[in-house]
Amino acid sequence: MMKTIGLIGGMSWESTVTYYQVINETIKQQLGGLHSAKCILYSVDFDEIEKYQSSGEWNKSAYVLTEAARALERAGADFIVICTNTMHKVAPEISKKISIPILHIADMTAIELKKSNIKKVGLLGTKYTMQQEFYKDVLKSNGIDVMIPNCSDIETVNHIIYDELCVGVVSKQSKDKYLRIISELSKNGAEGIILGCTEIGLLVKQSDTDVPLFDTTLIHAKRAALQALE
């Protein structure tokens, strides 16, 4: 019996598209035929969420996403997938208000890192994901050391996410900047790089670099599909 996945998307919708595609492709690979995923999508207005992020009003964004999660639970979802890395900052608050589990993106990424025997990893994402502890702590609790770029590069990575990737702009110039930052993290000891924002995979692919990349969007979406089949 296939479980129903509750997706909280729209942060941004550009990467939510990838979630829907990968989840359904994975179900098809596993079951064959005309099979596709049972899922319910609650897509939020990212402009509202981003304003709460930038003003530090995480309690307000937690409320919005909690209401989304509760709506998905009422609609019949068996578990929740938050289709963004940064908003896992409020995952503990959401969990308290629902009775179904949240499939945490950092936990799923840690599983893949361990499979590849990665002990030290570079983390790219929004400045919140890179600088705050909510995401890094999950990796550290799995025995993985986390490196982040220098202050200037953090601003570069963050700017490209919000001002370009979230609005569908993919440029070679920005890709080159990311590849330089990835290369520097690798030189400084990172055995792999987490693409820890669901938009980064739109810009950088494994074929662009020899450094092992862990695209959290692909990892999370695939795990969601497999969880639905367990």
Side-chain angles (χ1 to χ4, degrees):
M1 179 77 174
M2 197 191 304
K3 296 191 186 93
T4 300
I5 307 166
L7 300 162
I8 304 178
M11 300 168 283
S12 68
W13 70 262
E14 299 278 347
S15 59
T16 304
V17 172
T18 308
Y19 268 88
Y20 188 71
Q21 185 175 2
V22 171
I23 286 169
N24 280 292
E25 283 172 350
T26 304
I27 294 291
K28 187 180 178 184
Q29 284 163 7
Q30 295 293 314
L31 299 182
L34 296 175
H35 285 287
S36 54
K38 288 183 180 177
C39 58
I40 309 162
L41 171 62
Y42 190 117
S43 195
V44 301
D45 178 6
F46 190 37
D47 184 76
E48 179 184 12
I49 298 293
E50 191 281 324
K51 283 185 170 70
Y52 294 147
Q53 287 177 347
S54 57
S55 62
E57 296 177 288
W58 295 96
N59 59 321
K60 290 186 178 177
S61 58
Y63 176 78
V64 172
L65 298 196
T66 297
E67 289 303 295
R70 292 173 72 177
L72 289 166
E73 183 175 13
R74 287 194 301 271
D78 292 300
F79 62 96
I80 298 293
V81 172
I82 306 169
C83 303
T84 164
N85 287 270
T86 302
M87 293 315 299
H88 279 75
K89 179 177 171 69
V90 299
E93 284 78 11
I94 299 169
S95 285
K96 289 173 193 166
K97 302 285 172 59
I98 58 176
S99 58
I100 55 175
I102 294 173
L103 196 72
H104 199 292
I105 196 166
D107 281 324
M108 300 304 107
T109 302
I111 290 168
E112 294 304 314
L113 291 167
K114 285 176 174 176
K115 272 192 201 168
S116 297
N117 216 20
I118 302 278
K119 300 282 197 302
K120 193 170 196 176
V121 74
L123 174 62
L124 301 182
T126 66
K127 62 185 176 184
Y128 314 109
T129 302
M130 289 187 283
Q131 292 178 320
Q132 297 178 20
E133 298 306 314
F134 70 92
Y135 197 92
K136 293 186 280 190
D137 280 348
V138 176
L139 298 170
K140 288 173 187 171
S141 71
N142 281 279
I144 298 160
D145 283 336
V146 184
M147 301 168 61
I148 59 171
N150 62 43
C151 292
S152 168
D153 285 343
I154 283 172
E155 289 304 321
T156 298
V157 170
N158 188 72
H159 155 73
I160 289 167
I161 289 167
Y162 281 103
D163 297 335
E164 296 180 20
L165 300 177
C166 284
V167 292
V169 176
V170 177
S171 80
K172 184 182 183 304
Q173 188 180 17
S174 293
K175 177 189 269 200
D176 290 343
K177 288 177 184 173
Y178 266 57
L179 291 174
R180 174 188 59 76
I181 293 166
I182 287 168
S183 175
E184 286 176 15
L185 285 167
S186 174
K187 281 176 193 159
N188 290 330
E191 298 160 353
I193 303 291
I194 296 173
L195 306 184
C197 168
T198 51
E199 272 75 37
I200 298 176
L202 303 171
L203 183 67
V204 179
K205 305 277 192 285
Q206 186 61 73
S207 55
D208 297 318
T209 176
D210 293 333
V211 182
L213 302 181
F214 295 83
D215 185 333
T216 53
T217 307
L218 304 181
I219 290 167
H220 202 203
K222 188 168 185 181
R223 285 263 161 198
L226 296 175
Q227 178 90 354
L229 297 175
E230 279 179 9

